[in-house]
Amino acid sequence: MSTPSLSVGTNLVSGFTRLCKGLAVVLVAGHIVVQLFPSAISYVALIPARTIPFAWNLITAGYIEQSIYGVVVSTIGLLFIGKLLEPVWGSKEFLKFIFVVNFLTSVLIFITAIALYYITRQENYLYMPLSGFHGVISGFLVGIKQIVPDQELPLLKLKAKWLPSITLLLSIAISFWALESARYLPTIIFGTYTSWIYLRYWQRKPETKLKGDPSDDFAFSSFFPDFLRPVIDPIASIFDRILCRRSDASDDGQGYTLGGVPLPGSDPIEASRRR
């Protein structure tokens, strides 16, 4: 298995996978449908007040882009990042990742909207149609952070491991200046978090037949500057024990084990892939 490269080359606009092309068609077609038939938004976008009984919008909302800007960004992100991640994960796992992150993001947005309504009593939280693929695009950045954390991005001279953190910071900053963009913020935040949860604890590694990536380079605190890690690690360890019920490794040399078997992220195959 070769390590993907983020460098700019002659194959910049080629090498897109068939799955990514198919999903791109879905995004474009979904956008065209809601533009031609605006009433369709009520059935395919996430509207918390109508999620019951229209529960399917927890699934469909993630594939509907309401703006031309959104569909362009999501399609480009899917094609270019997808051709890096899909060969590493495999088509089945890649599609599973998209489905799980989209669904969990919608569920968290639904819960948040209901909570905000009960706190503020503002009905716009219940009736604002929310949709978009940008939660998965944020999740793709987490996947890049996991696979090639130390590779520098072309032109930016920035390590790939900081892509999710910088995207979140920029999204939060922009939401203060452009209120319209604030509606995208929950999807980006929850997309980033659920993708990390999936890759950290649930993704099955075919080379080890085990789940997750318990390496220190992919810990929750790795999304923050080094000086904050001593503060964040104790809090994150609580959720770590709840989600995986495993103890911390004694040192980096021994790695993570479960019944004497190395866990993914610390075995030689994983270490070689990261290098």
Side-chain angles (χ1 to χ4, degrees), residues 174-211:
I174 292 173
S175 67
F176 283 106
W177 298 99
L179 296 180
E180 181 64 22
S181 65
R183 64 188 301 177
Y184 299 103
L185 189 58
T187 305
I188 295 174
I189 292 175
F190 290 136
T192 300
Y193 183 66
T194 56
S195 62
W196 175 78
I197 289 289
Y198 179 82
L199 296 174
R200 177 74 168 175
Y201 301 107
W202 298 339
Q203 185 185 53
R204 185 173 295 277
K205 298 299 181 74
E207 65 267 19
T208 60
K209 305 301 182 183
L210 296 173
K211 293 182 178 180

Side-chain angles (χ1 to χ4, degrees), residues 218-240:
F218 200 57
F220 183 71
S221 59
S222 68
F223 288 83
F224 300 86
D226 291 341
F227 69 90
L228 290 177
R229 297 192 68 167
V231 178
I232 297 172
D233 278 331
I235 301 175
S237 65
I238 298 175
F239 296 96
D240 188 74

Side-chain angles (χ1 to χ4, degrees), residues 32-234:
I32 294 175
V33 168
V34 297
Q35 295 303 311
L36 295 177
F37 307 100
S39 60
I41 284 290
S42 301
Y43 299 95
V44 294
L46 176 60
I47 302 177
R50 306 187 65 176
T51 299
I52 300 175
F54 299 161
W56 60 79
N57 62 32
L58 292 172
I59 297 176
T60 59
Y63 307 95
I64 302 298
E65 288 288 356
Q66 299 181 46
S67 68
I68 185 65
Y69 168 80
V71 74
V72 169
V73 172
S74 293
T75 301
I76 292 176
L78 169 63
L79 292 174
F80 282 91
I81 305 179
K83 75 175 183 178
L84 297 175
L85 297 180
E86 186 183 344
V88 177
W89 291 347
S91 298
K92 182 178 179 181
E93 179 60 34
F94 182 74
L95 187 61
K96 180 181 177 183
F97 173 86
I98 292 175
F99 178 83
V100 171
V101 171
N102 251 337
F103 177 72
L104 291 181
T105 298
S106 295
V107 170
L108 290 176
I109 290 175
F110 171 76
I111 295 173
T112 301
I114 297 298
L116 288 174
Y117 166 72
Y118 280 107
I119 293 172
T120 65
R121 293 297 175 177
Q122 296 184 21
E123 292 189 353
N124 63 306
Y125 289 116
L126 296 180
Y127 293 99
M128 179 184 297
L130 301 170
S131 64
F133 198 70
H134 38 284
V136 172
I137 298 299
S138 301
F140 285 167
L141 299 182
V142 178
I144 291 178
K145 170 186 173 68
Q146 180 196 40
I147 294 173
V148 285
D150 294 321
Q151 184 167 343
E152 286 192 351
L153 301 177
L155 304 178
L156 298 179
K157 300 302 180 181
L158 179 73
K159 289 188 176 181
K161 65 180 180 180
W162 295 116
L163 276 176
S165 304
I166 291 176
T167 300
L168 280 175
L169 284 175
L170 289 176
S171 300
I172 294 172
I174 292 173
S175 67
F176 283 106
W177 298 99
L179 296 180
E180 181 64 22
S181 65
R183 64 188 301 177
Y184 299 103
L185 189 58
T187 305
I188 295 174
I189 292 175
F190 290 136
T192 300
Y193 183 66
T194 56
S195 62
W196 175 78
I197 289 289
Y198 179 82
L199 296 174
R200 177 74 168 175
Y201 301 107
W202 298 339
Q203 185 185 53
R204 185 173 295 277
K205 298 299 181 74
E207 65 267 19
T208 60
K209 305 301 182 183
L210 296 173
K211 293 182 178 180
D213 181 354
S215 62
D216 289 340
D217 290 338
F218 200 57
F220 183 71
S221 59
S222 68
F223 288 83
F224 300 86
D226 291 341
F227 69 90
L228 290 177
R229 297 192 68 167
V231 178
I232 297 172
D233 278 331

